[in-house]
Amino acid sequence: MNLEGSLEAFSLPDIFQLLSFTKKTGALHITRPTGRGVVYFTAGAITGGASDTSRQSLARRLVGTGLVDDTALAAAVQQVKDDPSVGLARALQQGDAVEDGVLHEQVVEQATDAVFDLLRWTQGEFAFVVDEANPDDLAVSLVVEDLVTEGRSRLEKWDELTRKVPSPEAVVTMTLAPAAPETTLSAEEWSLLALVDGERTVSQLVAVTGRGEFATVRTLASLVDRGLVSARTTDGADDAAGVNALLRRQATLSLLEGRPEPAPVRRPAPPPAAAPAPNVPEVVPTRPEPIITRQPEFAEQPVVPTARVSGTHRTEGSAALAEPAPGTSSLIERDPNVNKSLLLRLIAGVRGL
């Protein structure tokens, strides 16, 4: 069965239902200009998926749990390099790096996050490849109706969450004092709060934790409600309740103490990439040809005017060249420094005057 088309003509829930009803096995690829996602099916059930195939989404989630050490991760990465048909999560399972119960839980969360992310795509193309294997098939089978229902439920909550965490590019900063005098944090909240440094954005926290956008934003929204963090579209330096604001105000007070201190400096943004220089042809070649002085056939020597005496008459300068004195020709022939051809042409020219 060739199943392909546009998301503008067919909705993803309808496509999922069709693949579930016909009990198809393979991979549903969804493509749009900004990325590509995939959902794997086995006999009509979903076994895994990712909303960004350029990243190791499931492996990042497993690493984010803190249960994978360097040795196990390096061995799994090498196994994937040797055999690309094996996914990183399956390589970790084969190496007994993570318990099967933890793997099952993470696969379920990853597939649920992927379906939720893909349900927000309203434009793009889809194509189903029959019998394409899931490289991270860990024997997890999820009912399509359950994942679609959970995805729609998350969509209803998404608007409220994004009012507290407005943008993936919002910078998350810790506040100096929580809204409640006593605050209890879950393990999930603690691990996320430990990564908040006043510089990481929401999207960067999603990538580091590997937990998916919905789970990360939901946790951040809970921390915002309790006044533990703030998410702003600026870099966080102007947050009135943030650490940078405290340092700036302390620097202002130090002026009265006779020890002025510089206010906290905001980290400069990276300079924009320079535009490529126009392709202008070079006027002077990079390696100009050397100037070679042409050598005469015979070495030349400045001609010294001679004089001859005819009776009582003396002739000097060029007139003397018209009729060379006796013995001059022999001198010319004998002197190797005289350019004879040039001198003869000069003599002929003088005679023609």
Side-chain angles (χ1 to χ4, degrees):
M1 178 182 76
N2 293 327
L3 180 62
E4 58 184 18
S6 171
L7 294 180
E8 297 177 353
F10 301 94
S11 67
L12 277 180
D14 293 338
I15 300 170
F16 289 162
Q17 292 289 350
L18 176 61
L19 295 174
S20 175
F21 180 76
T22 55
K23 298 187 181 301
K24 294 299 180 182
T25 297
L28 178 66
H29 295 271
I30 304 99
T31 306
R32 63 176 181 176
T34 57
R36 169 178 290 186
V38 63
V39 179
Y40 294 99
F41 290 81
T42 298
I46 293 178
T47 62
S51 58
D52 185 359
T53 57
S54 67
R55 304 178 69 88
Q56 295 284 344
S57 302
L58 180 55
R60 282 183 172 273
R61 183 183 294 269
L62 291 172
V63 171
T65 61
L67 301 177
V68 181
D69 59 24
D70 294 336
T71 303
L73 181 60
V77 169
Q78 186 60 47
Q79 182 178 350
V80 173
K81 289 182 177 180
D82 296 337
D83 184 6
S85 65
V86 177
L88 193 57
R90 189 142 61 100
L92 290 171
Q93 181 194 42
Q94 294 174 357
D96 296 328
V98 185
E99 295 180 359
D100 288 343
V102 175
L103 281 173
H104 185 280
E105 179 183 354
Q106 298 301 321
V107 170
V108 173
E109 291 186 4
Q110 172 60 34
T112 305
D113 287 339
V115 170
F116 163 70
D117 291 338
L118 294 173
L119 286 179
R120 291 186 289 159
W121 292 17
T122 57
Q123 295 180 342
E125 306 292 328
F126 67 87
F128 183 73
V129 180
V130 179
D131 294 333
E132 180 177 341
N134 179 5
D136 278 323
D137 190 354
L138 301 177
V140 175
S141 182
L142 305 175
V143 180
V144 168
E145 290 80 0
D146 294 343
L147 288 186
V148 172
T149 300
E150 175 63 22
R152 287 173 171 169
S153 174
R154 291 185 176 189
L155 286 175
E156 295 176 357
K157 302 175 183 176
W158 187 245
D159 289 340
E160 180 182 355
L161 295 178
T162 53
R163 284 194 292 268
K164 301 172 183 177
V165 184
S167 167
E169 303 307 317
V171 177
V172 183
T173 59
M174 291 184 62
T175 58
L176 295 175
E182 295 183 3
T183 300
T184 302
L185 297 177
S186 65
E188 182 179 285
E189 293 170 338
W190 180 272
S191 62
L192 181 59
L193 192 61
L195 296 172
V196 174
D197 60 356
E199 296 180 359
R200 290 192 177 96
T201 63
V202 175
S203 60
Q204 290 173 334
L205 290 173
V206 172
V208 172
T209 60
R211 294 180 52 240
E213 189 173 14
F214 180 83
T216 303
V217 172
R218 180 179 57 187
T219 303
L220 286 175
S222 175
L223 295 175
V224 170
D225 284 339
R226 286 176 282 173
L228 297 176
V229 301
S230 64
R232 298 176 180 271
T233 54
T234 63
D235 63 359
D238 294 332
D239 186 359
V243 176
N244 284 327
L246 172 63
L247 296 177
R248 184 173 60 249
R249 292 160 188 162
Q250 294 288 10
T252 302
L253 291 176
S254 66
L255 296 174
L256 298 177
E257 301 170 348
R259 295 181 290 110
E261 300 176 4
V265 180
R266 300 167 64 175
R267 175 174 294 184
N279 187 13
V280 179
E282 295 184 359
V283 178
V284 180
T286 56
R287 295 183 60 186
E289 295 294 332
I291 299 176
I292 302 175
T293 305
R294 181 178 178 182
Q295 300 295 332
E297 297 177 1
F298 303 95
E300 297 183 2
Q301 183 174 353
V303 178
V304 179
T306 60
R308 68 181 177 87
V309 178
S310 178
T312 58
H313 208 70
R314 180 180 293 273
T315 304
E316 297 182 355
S318 60
L321 298 177
E323 297 180 10
T328 305
S329 298
S330 61
L331 289 174
I332 295 174
E333 295 295 336
R334 290 198 306 268
D335 192 348
N337 295 324
V338 177
N339 190 330
K340 291 183 284 296
S341 62
L342 176 60
L343 187 57
L344 292 175
R345 288 197 297 270
L346 291 174
I347 294 171
V350 171
R351 285 177 178 175
L353 294 177

